[in-house]
Amino acid sequence: MDSCSSSNVKGATTGVGIFLIFLLILYRFLINKMKSAGGQARLPPGPRPWPIVGNLRQLGRLPHQSLADLAKKYGNIMFLRFGSVPTVVISSPSIAKEFLKTHDLVFANRPVVATGKYMAYDHKDVAFAGYGEYWRQMRKLCTIELFTVKRTESFKSVREEEVSSMVRSIWLESGEGMRSVDVTNRISSLAQNIVCRMFSGRTFSDDELNGGVGFKDMLSEMAAVAGAFVIGDYIRFLEWFDLEGIRRRMRVVQKIFDGFAEKVIDEHINRRREKSEDENRVKDMVDVLLDMAELDTQTPTEMQITRVHIKAIILDMLNAGIETSSTTVEWAMSEVLGNPHILVRAQQEIESVVGRDRKVKEDDVASFDYLRCIVKETFRLHPPFPLLIPHESMEGCNVGDYYVPPKTRVFINVWAMGRDGSIWEDPYEFNPERFMGKGNSKDVRGQDFDLLPFGTGRRGCPGILMGLSVVELALAQLLHCFHWSVEGKVNMDEIFGLTVPRKFPLLARPASKLPFQYLI
């Protein structure tokens, strides 16, 4: 019996060994085939990958930082293998320009990933949709109907009302200046309320979802799983094992979100049937999409707008719109509170325009040159998407001296670019003055490749204007309404997810800077 068991163990061990040898041979074959496909060109340099896992072991807890360290050794265009996926990481503005402008069409695709499949209705949203006619129609819908200058302006009163509400909540939570408040939480609630009012016309409380899950809990879980590392995205034969449990969590939270989005759409449809619309009410984005869907039934267009399209757009707005705005304001406040001289200068600028007898209006922001430089400096050091959303090559392409194979995943490490000493003087110092004066201004909307917080080209973020409007007004109001103090040094640790927020909440104590009536 023991002899038989020993024989079975030896046989199983031999079988595993043969399987691993087969995988190694296959891996080497694919590498050689990929190299030969490039003709005379060669792959970019990079660290030697391990069999099966490739370079995944080198990512660490903060991949943007780990990849920046690797780039210092291997260069600003670097080739790695994440599992079976060929990957290129870019850490230079000039090389990023080659990928995102010169060869923009080749790299306009998105890879198939678990987030797109299980969260975004099988890649039916804008952010994760593959490049093609469907994506073009969805992008057109966003840029021509939803995120225009006129539409952004129509929500100005919403932004001003919600920012004023944030100020009031901070003042009351602090016991009128007696204790510190969780600034992170207040900023997150602000972004959440603004985005919800833009797409649905109202805010949502924690008791409005099914299954006993709060609204904020749903948003937190969506952000957590959307930004989670899914090993099956890189080692395909492990996809169905769901080793981290992320795919299961995605399905659960997506079901909750779908019920929420269906409720929002039904509310709008019922209100339209009952003709209970307030004529003076600003149309929210679901209103606009339903209007277009009705027109489609009368005069069919290239893409019929369905409930899935509306839900996918709501998903993008909740995931990207809330996270990017809140993390940017959060980091800006962290940097300003850690640099008192910057706080004083910003407050002096705002007061010189607004005075102390009123709050900031959105129209005032255009006069705050220094504050807008603070926002740019925040984007440089703390880009909301440090690696952007990954691109994928649709065909083989020669970029400079190197060959990039088809189906290669491309990460643009804007976090590393923002800390490059060859581009920025004193790159680790928070210094808004670097953007002051003629010739120093940088465009954050994709024209200057030194600063790409929202990406650029075909896959650039269509909601840039709305995001900037929230960030600038919120920051201006926080600095104008209160004097701020913190105990000790501001902790600047970060965590990696859908975006890169602070690891710990920002706690600070407000003191009244304006007359009492402007704070409540």
Side-chain angles (χ1 to χ4, degrees):
M1 189 73 173
D2 290 341
S3 175
C4 182
S5 298
S6 176
S7 177
N8 288 338
V9 170
K10 289 180 180 179
T13 304
T14 302
V16 171
I18 293 173
F19 177 68
L20 291 175
I21 292 172
F22 169 76
L23 287 178
L24 181 60
I25 293 172
L26 177 62
Y27 170 77
R28 290 295 185 189
F29 170 76
L30 292 174
I31 287 287
N32 292 332
K33 184 177 179 182
M34 190 166 54
K35 287 180 178 179
S36 64
Q40 296 300 314
R42 65 188 191 279
L43 296 173
R48 183 180 294 276
W50 283 14
I52 304 176
V53 297
N55 302 104
L56 288 174
R57 64 187 177 84
Q58 295 172 291
L59 286 180
R61 293 183 178 273
L62 298 171
H64 54 296
Q65 295 190 22
S66 300
L67 292 173
D69 290 338
L70 285 174
K72 292 175 183 176
K73 181 177 181 180
Y74 294 100
N76 288 326
I77 176 170
M78 181 171 56
F79 185 85
L80 307 98
R81 293 194 69 83
F82 292 163
S84 60
V85 179
T87 304
V88 168
V89 180
I90 309 303
S91 306
S92 157
S94 60
I95 302 175
K97 188 174 183 179
E98 286 287 312
F99 279 80
L100 301 181
K101 186 174 182 179
T102 306
H103 302 289
D104 185 24
L105 180 58
V106 174
F107 298 101
N109 201 25
R110 293 285 195 223
V112 174
V113 293
T115 300
K117 183 176 182 179
Y118 298 108
M119 293 284 293
Y121 298 92
D122 197 13
H123 302 84
K124 290 295 192 298
D125 69 330
V126 181
F128 290 98
Y131 184 78
E133 186 58 30
Y134 175 82
W135 172 82
R136 281 191 286 269
Q137 293 301 321
M138 286 289 281
R139 171 82 179 189
K140 182 179 177 181
L141 179 65
C142 290
T143 55
I144 295 180
E145 298 293 341
L146 300 181
F147 299 114
T148 63
V149 174
K150 183 177 180 180
R151 189 78 61 198
T152 300
E153 181 70 15
S154 74
F155 292 116
K156 181 171 70 173
S157 62
V158 169
R159 291 187 289 273
E160 291 179 341
E161 288 170 13
E162 291 299 334
V163 169
S164 291
S165 178
M166 175 188 66
V167 168
R168 181 167 57 253
S169 67
I170 287 174
W171 186 237
L172 295 176
E173 184 182 333
S174 72
E176 299 184 355
M178 297 299 294
R179 55 182 174 270
S180 294
V181 299
D182 185 341
V183 181
T184 294
N185 185 50
R186 292 296 98 212
I187 293 171
S188 177
S189 294
L190 166 73
Q192 171 188 311
N193 290 342
I194 290 176
V195 169
C196 287
R197 289 184 65 179
M198 285 196 302
F199 75 75
S200 71
R202 71 181 185 93
T203 59
F204 297 89
S205 60
D206 272 351
D207 59 356
E208 293 193 60
L209 301 184
N210 296 324
V213 177
F215 186 67
K216 277 195 172 183
D217 291 335
M218 179 189 76
L219 295 180
S220 296
E221 179 68 355
M222 285 168 58
V225 297
F229 172 81
V230 182
I231 195 169
D233 286 344
Y234 303 98
I235 305 176
R236 292 298 183 185
F237 70 86
L238 293 178
E239 179 180 1
W240 294 104
F241 292 95
D242 193 23
L243 298 177
E244 318 94 317
I246 297 296
R247 193 173 62 176
R248 180 190 60 79
R249 289 171 60 188
M250 285 181 175
R251 285 172 168 162
V252 171
V253 76
Q254 205 279 339
K255 184 176 180 180
I256 296 171
F257 166 77
D258 189 75
F260 160 76
E262 287 284 347
K263 177 181 177 180
V264 169
I265 296 171
D266 286 340
E267 283 180 354
H268 283 69
I269 291 175
N270 291 335
R271 190 168 59 208
R272 294 158 79 91
R273 285 174 181 164
E274 296 167 2
K275 298 183 179 179
S276 58
E277 293 278 11
D278 180 355
E279 292 183 359
N280 297 319
R281 189 179 73 88
V282 174
K283 281 190 173 183
D284 59 56
M285 294 186 179
V286 173
D287 286 324
V288 174
L289 292 168
L290 288 173
D291 284 344
M292 296 182 67
E294 287 182 3
L295 287 175
D296 283 347
T297 61
Q298 300 167 15
T299 308
T301 57
E302 295 174 275
M303 184 181 77
Q304 298 293 113
I305 296 175
T306 67
R307 293 174 83 98
V308 170
H309 297 120
I310 298 174
K311 290 186 289 187
I313 288 173
I314 293 174
L315 180 75
D316 274 355
M317 290 191 66
L318 285 177
N319 269 338
I322 294 174
E323 285 288 308
T324 55
S325 298
S326 60
T327 54
T328 301
V329 178
E330 181 185 25
W331 280 118
M333 283 295 293
S334 302
E335 291 286 5
V336 168
L337 295 185
N339 294 275
H341 66 286
I342 295 176
L343 173 62
V344 170
R345 180 169 177 178
Q347 289 178 326
Q348 288 175 344
E349 177 187 64
I350 297 170
E351 191 172 321
S352 70
V353 175
V354 177
R356 289 199 177 192
D357 58 350
R358 68 177 177 89
K359 289 181 181 177
V360 173
K361 298 291 185 182
E362 192 167 294
D363 291 340
D364 299 321
V365 173
S367 302
F368 302 153
D369 292 336
Y370 189 67
L371 180 131
R372 299 175 97 177
C373 290
I374 289 175
V375 173
K376 290 180 181 180
E377 183 72 339
T378 302
F379 282 138
R380 181 183 73 84
L381 282 176
H382 308 284
F385 296 109
L387 299 174
L388 299 183
I389 298 176
H391 294 244
E392 184 182 74
S393 58
M394 293 188 286
E395 59 186 52
C397 180
N398 289 308
V399 180
D401 295 331
Y402 300 111
Y403 174 71
V404 179
K407 304 292 287 184
T408 294
R409 204 160 296 186
V410 178
F411 290 96
I412 310 296
N413 195 341
V414 292
W415 186 91
M417 288 158 55
R419 287 166 166 74
D420 189 338
S422 67
I423 304 171
W424 309 98
E425 185 178 351
D426 298 321
Y428 292 94
E429 179 183 346
F430 189 83
N431 178 24
E433 283 83 355
R434 72 175 78 245
F435 295 107
M436 297 291 286
K438 292 183 178 179
N440 294 326
S441 179
K442 296 287 184 181
D443 177 79
V444 299
R445 305 182 191 187
Q447 299 304 309
D448 289 307
F449 284 79
D450 293 352
L451 202 61
L452 291 175
F454 300 100
T456 188
R458 287 174 170 83
R459 301 309 297 236
C461 174
I464 295 175
L465 185 57
M466 283 198 178
L468 284 174
S469 299
V470 173
V471 168
E472 291 172 349
L473 178 62
L475 182 60
Q477 203 75 284
L478 287 168
L479 299 183
H480 184 53
C481 291
F482 301 114
H483 294 292
W484 292 94
S485 60
V486 293
E487 294 184 8
K489 187 177 180 181
V490 178
N491 185 293
M492 302 298 281
D493 291 345
E494 60 187 22
I495 56 175
F496 188 86
L498 180 63
T499 59
V500 181
R502 291 174 50 85
K503 185 175 183 179
F504 304 104
L506 175 62
L507 303 178
R509 181 176 173 179
S512 175
K513 189 171 177 288
L514 299 185
F516 181 77
Q517 64 266 28
Y518 297 116
L519 302 180
I520 58 173

